[in-house]
Amino acid sequence: MLFWWLLSGYASPLLLGLGAASTLLVIALALRMEVIDHDSHPVGLSRALLSYWVWLLKEVVVTNVQLARLILQRDPQLSPTQVCVPTTKRSDVGLVTFANSITLTPGTLSLAVHADSIDVLALTRDGADDLLTGEMERRVPDCRARR
């Protein structure tokens, strides 16, 4: 809600009140339906998640610039590569976060998620090699549920 407010610039009390009311309604419905569990977003991960999002945003911007330079070349040296990236993430949230982070990074796409690996298509061999170093996998917060 705060993100929408910052981007839209609308600050009328009616819109903010309706936004707050609809947010509370969705939370109440989700709690009543019992679809919120401890694995969805463990509260203890907030700091780790925030620092990961900052790192991921930086990576997305850097990779976007690199990819734009590559594509704008007269003869782009694309080398599409499919790799199997190993992962030690065991929770569904950890695997999905890792796979989505790969897809969010320009030039890479998660094709399939397995229990111990993710199949990835990269536009360049360097992009595939970067994933195989394990840096992104290491930075994804451990999303095991705390009970």
Side-chain angles (χ1 to χ4, degrees):
M1 189 170 80
L2 179 65
F3 185 67
W4 171 85
W5 179 64
L6 290 173
L7 290 179
S8 71
Y10 291 112
S12 77
L14 176 66
L15 283 179
L16 293 178
L18 288 174
S22 64
T23 300
L24 292 174
L25 177 66
V26 168
I27 291 171
L29 289 173
L31 288 171
R32 184 165 166 84
M33 293 170 49
E34 297 180 2
V35 294
I36 298 175
D37 59 5
H38 295 283
D39 201 29
S40 297
H41 179 69
V43 177
L45 289 178
S46 295
R47 263 192 222 128
L49 226 58
L50 183 61
S51 68
Y52 177 68
W53 285 342
V54 169
W55 177 84
L56 183 62
L57 180 63
K58 178 195 70 91
E59 288 299 308
V60 167
V61 169
V62 167
T63 334
N64 194 24
V65 170
Q66 290 172 345
L67 192 60
R69 283 185 184 154
L70 179 70
I71 291 172
L72 292 175
Q73 291 176 354
R74 180 167 284 228
D75 185 26
Q77 299 299 314
L78 299 177
S79 53
T81 306
Q82 186 173 345
V83 293
C84 183
V85 179
T87 181
T88 58
K89 302 299 176 201
R90 294 295 167 238
S91 71
D92 290 342
V93 174
L95 284 170
V96 169
T97 301
F98 185 30
N100 284 341
S101 298
I102 290 170
T103 299
L104 279 172
T105 308
T108 56
L109 177 67
S110 298
L111 300 173
V113 179
H114 309 285
D116 59 349
S117 65
I118 299 174
D119 296 335
V120 177
L121 178 65
L123 282 179
T124 64
R125 182 67 208 172
D126 289 341
D129 290 342
D130 285 347
L131 281 172
L132 291 173
T133 64
E135 175 72 12
M136 181 180 284
E137 200 267 345
R138 183 184 62 77
R139 287 185 176 265
V140 172
D142 188 11
C143 295
R144 284 188 173 77
R146 295 182 188 191
R147 301 203 191 270

